[in-house]
Amino acid sequence: MELDGAETSREGASLPGDRSPSALGHAFSKILLYLTGLEARRRNTRDISFKDLIALIEATECDRLFERGGEPHHKMPETLGEVAKALEKYAAPPKEEEGEGNGYSEVAEKAAEIGLVFLKLLGKVEDAKNSLVCPAWKTGLRHLAGPVYVFAVTHSLEQPWTSPRSREVAGQVLAFLLQITECSSVAGFLCGENEEDKRRFTVILGLLKPTLNKESWKNNPAVKHVFSWTLQQVTRPWLNQHLERILPPSLLISDDYQTENKILGVRCLHHIVLNVPVADLLQYNRAQVLYHAIFNHLYMPEYHLIEAVLLCLLDLFPVLEKAQHWKGDAARTTTHCDEVLQLILTHMEPEHRLLLRRTYARNLPAFVRRLGILTVRHLKRLERVIIGYLEVYDGPEEEARLKILETLKLVMQYSWPRISCRLVVLLKALLKLICDVARDPSLTPEPVKNALLQEATDGLILLDRCSRGQVKDLLARTLLSCTDTTVVSCIRRVQQDSEGMSYHGI
């Protein structure tokens, strides 16, 4: 079988001397048959076929390579497009379980070889473009651009199936493709910058569609990364016209059981939320579908996933609220932001894993800002979470406690009439934090300690304003018995700020 494959390839390589267009098409058809047949897995015949394909491309003049006759076998641009698709599929990585060990290293070798073939093809396109005797180069490029792009993105990203050599070659292929199409960026290439053809993104999605469905998307581990990376290159105002093509794959990827895929899918959905008009997202109840798909991920105890989900939801809330209308004579209905914050606080209260605590605390201020005065609905649970998080050391950077102090200040600003009845509890929590930081023997950097003391002192000042000067009176007794200079300094700052204040609200 190997000998037969070698003879077939060599027979194709000897055809450029024949001036018949059908002979040239026949030669490429034989190579195409080889690439899609069972012999494609044999290393010896593969090497011979690639060499003969490069030789065939080099020996064929550009005007013959892109000529288009009336008969089907005379349509060289379409034939070259099919060859490019076959080469791209041939270099695709296998399933993850099949690619372990030496499987992925073989894929990287094949990708480097196929990249050289694509560079030769693109070189012919450039020669045809610069000559005046081959006006059909645009047709040839139109058939080649999609498969070449998919190949380049598949192997230029750092993945298990790539190597430094394959990434270098794939990067050269992508750069050469942008150069020939006169596009300054990938986004320009996809959306039709300096080009009459503005359907490239549609073409790319069409190439990915057969392998990006529920039954087959895991057969090629690269397809999800190519889709995600390509999607995020396209922004307003071009993305909304492709919404029906990009939304189902994004939901499919986010609904997977693997955390890595969930995160990838959520980021795709987040990009859609940011770059599709509100009216299109509200049509056919799409925004609600997005919300429920993303909301369910909040039950997963994976901090990377939670971070991606919360960021996406914060940008989705304004879209969802566009569909709600509040009448001034009735109580405001519970919003999606209320629902999410309630669940977050439920998870935060007993959480002991530091990475998750930091993730929740990092995003909590944004939710308080989003709700504003409606934060009072969650005040009891917020109080418990704030006090509980202020008590726990959070490592050298103290990210969680700093964000909780920021949250406390926002809560006091938005719901200050309800703060005076919580004066004693919050005052104790802030004073305890200041004392703990002042006596902290750990390796916490001084700038971090200073930031904590600054934020806690600002919290005391704000608490004093909410309670109409009661904090100043209570601290005056503490000042008489306190011997720690750091704590005394913070208390004096509160007293100095409060002197001469009139308490008519914040």
Side-chain angles (χ1 to χ4, degrees):
M1 291 294 289
E2 293 180 6
L3 183 59
D4 293 341
E7 290 175 353
T8 300
S9 289
R10 289 182 178 180
E11 181 185 350
S14 64
L15 286 170
D18 188 344
R19 292 294 176 181
S20 170
S22 61
L24 184 62
H26 184 62
F28 276 105
S29 297
K30 281 190 174 183
I31 293 175
L32 179 62
L33 181 63
Y34 162 75
L35 290 171
T36 55
L38 295 176
E39 293 182 358
R41 299 190 179 187
R42 299 179 182 274
R43 177 68 181 264
N44 293 338
T45 51
R46 184 189 82 196
D47 294 341
I48 295 172
S49 179
F50 287 156
K51 291 177 182 177
D52 288 352
L53 180 56
I54 292 176
L56 183 59
I57 294 169
E58 288 179 339
T60 307
E61 297 177 1
C62 60
D63 58 334
R64 294 185 58 212
L65 199 59
F66 301 112
E67 66 183 342
R68 185 184 179 91
E71 299 178 23
H73 56 275
H74 287 177
K75 297 179 180 178
M76 281 304 301
E78 287 85 344
T79 302
L80 287 175
E82 292 302 318
V83 171
K85 289 179 184 177
L87 288 170
E88 183 272 316
K89 287 183 173 62
Y90 188 59
K95 290 183 180 180
E96 292 181 7
E97 56 269 19
E98 297 176 4
E100 296 176 357
N102 295 328
Y104 281 155
S105 62
E106 186 178 349
V107 171
E109 291 178 18
K110 288 195 296 185
E113 295 169 349
I114 291 173
L116 297 177
V117 177
F118 280 137
L119 288 173
K120 293 292 182 183
L121 273 173
L122 293 176
K124 285 293 181 179
V125 175
E126 186 178 44
D127 293 341
K129 179 181 176 182
N130 295 331
S131 69
L132 300 176
V133 296
C134 187
W137 68 270
K138 286 187 177 181
T139 304
L141 179 60
R142 189 174 300 119
H143 289 281
L144 289 173
V148 171
Y149 170 85
V150 173
F151 165 83
V153 175
T154 298
H155 298 281
S156 60
L157 303 175
E158 188 168 353
Q159 295 294 343
W161 56 84
T162 64
S163 66
R165 172 60 179 162
S166 66
R167 288 195 292 271
E168 179 186 1
V169 174
Q172 292 173 1
V173 171
L174 184 58
F176 202 0
L177 182 62
L178 296 181
Q179 175 187 325
I180 292 173
T181 55
E182 298 180 358
C183 295
S184 59
S185 64
V186 174
F189 169 81
L190 294 170
C191 302
E193 176 188 330
N194 302 324
E195 182 71 30
E196 295 178 0
D197 187 2
K198 296 183 179 295
R199 298 183 64 253
R200 288 205 187 102
F201 187 47
T202 304
V203 171
I204 303 300
L205 293 176
L207 291 173
L208 298 177
K209 185 176 180 180
T211 52
L212 200 57
N213 56 62
K214 188 176 182 180
E215 290 74 26
S216 63
W217 74 282
K218 288 203 171 183
N219 293 338
N220 180 357
V223 68
K224 61 188 178 185
H225 297 287
V226 175
F227 171 78
S228 173
W229 192 84
T230 301
L231 170 64
Q232 296 190 48
Q233 308 305 309
V234 183
T235 56
R236 291 175 181 261
W238 298 282
L239 195 61
N240 64 302
Q241 56 189 302
H242 305 283
L243 189 54
E244 293 298 330
R245 299 184 186 92
I246 61 177
L247 190 54
S250 301
L251 289 169
L252 175 66
I253 297 171
S254 73
D255 195 38
D256 190 54
Y257 69 93
Q258 291 181 312
T259 302
E260 173 196 353
N261 293 333
K262 289 179 184 290
I263 295 172
L264 195 66
V266 169
R267 286 174 179 167
C268 290
L269 295 173
H270 192 185
H271 183 77
I272 291 172
V273 170
L274 291 174
N275 290 281
V276 172
V278 173
D280 290 316
L281 291 176
L282 292 177
Q283 193 176 22
Y284 306 123
N285 219 27
R286 292 187 185 112
Q288 286 290 344
V289 172
L290 287 172
Y291 173 73
H292 289 296
I294 299 169
F295 180 83
N296 291 334
H297 295 319
L298 288 173
Y299 292 96
M300 298 293 295
E302 301 288 343
Y303 74 97
H304 283 310
L305 176 60
I306 296 296
E307 178 77 21
V309 167
L310 293 180
L311 292 175
C312 183
L313 286 172
L314 285 167
D315 286 318
L316 184 59
F317 290 147
V319 178
L320 295 165
E321 290 170 8
K322 285 284 185 181
Q324 297 178 340
H325 301 282
W326 175 59
K327 296 180 180 180
D329 57 346
R332 295 191 185 186
T333 57
T334 302
T335 64
H336 295 89
C337 188
D338 284 301
E339 184 179 16
V340 174
L341 180 57
Q342 183 177 2
L343 182 61
I344 290 174
L345 294 174
T346 300
H347 290 168
M348 286 183 74
E349 203 167 346
E351 186 57 63
H352 63 278
R353 287 161 288 197
L354 285 178
L355 292 176
L356 268 173
R357 288 169 64 92
R358 289 169 188 162
T359 302
Y360 287 129
R362 189 183 307 124
N363 292 278
L364 194 55
F367 279 86
V368 175
R369 289 192 190 94
R370 183 77 208 161
L371 284 174
I373 194 173
L374 297 180
T375 305
V376 295
R377 293 172 173 172
H378 311 275
L379 210 49
K380 288 184 179 180
R381 186 164 288 174
L382 270 169
E383 177 189 325
R384 293 199 301 268
V385 167
I386 288 171
I387 293 172
Y389 273 58
L390 290 180
E391 291 177 349
V392 179
Y393 173 70
D394 186 48
E397 300 302 321
E398 292 282 17
E399 181 182 2
R401 289 211 279 196
L402 285 170
K403 285 298 179 179
I404 289 296
L405 285 170
E406 180 183 347
T407 302
L408 174 59
K409 292 197 296 184
L410 288 170
V411 169
M412 289 192 288
Q413 289 172 4
Y414 288 122
S415 55
W416 61 268
R418 302 284 186 91
I419 298 299
S420 57
C421 60
R422 295 172 168 81
L423 169 64
V424 176
V425 175
L426 295 177
L427 179 59
K428 286 181 178 180
L430 289 171
L431 280 177
K432 184 178 184 301
L433 174 63
I434 291 174
C435 292
D436 289 345
V437 173
R439 301 167 185 171
D440 183 13
S442 70
L443 298 178
T444 304
E446 285 301 319
V448 176
K449 289 184 179 180
N450 294 335
L452 277 172
L453 293 172
Q454 176 72 36
E455 291 296 314
T457 304
D458 290 344
L460 286 174
I461 292 172
L462 199 54
L463 183 62
D464 183 67
R465 296 179 183 180
C466 292
S467 61
R468 298 178 179 271
Q470 294 182 52
V471 170
K472 182 182 63 176
D473 297 335
L474 292 171
L475 289 179
R477 306 171 193 171
T478 306
L479 195 59
L480 298 175
S481 58
C482 183
T483 58
D484 190 294
T485 56
T486 303
V487 178
V488 170
S489 175
C490 293
I491 294 175
R492 290 197 182 280
R493 271 197 56 214
V494 177
Q495 290 184 320
Q496 290 170 3
D497 184 87
S498 302
E499 290 176 359
M501 290 288 298
S502 59
Y503 302 98
H504 300 292
I506 300 301

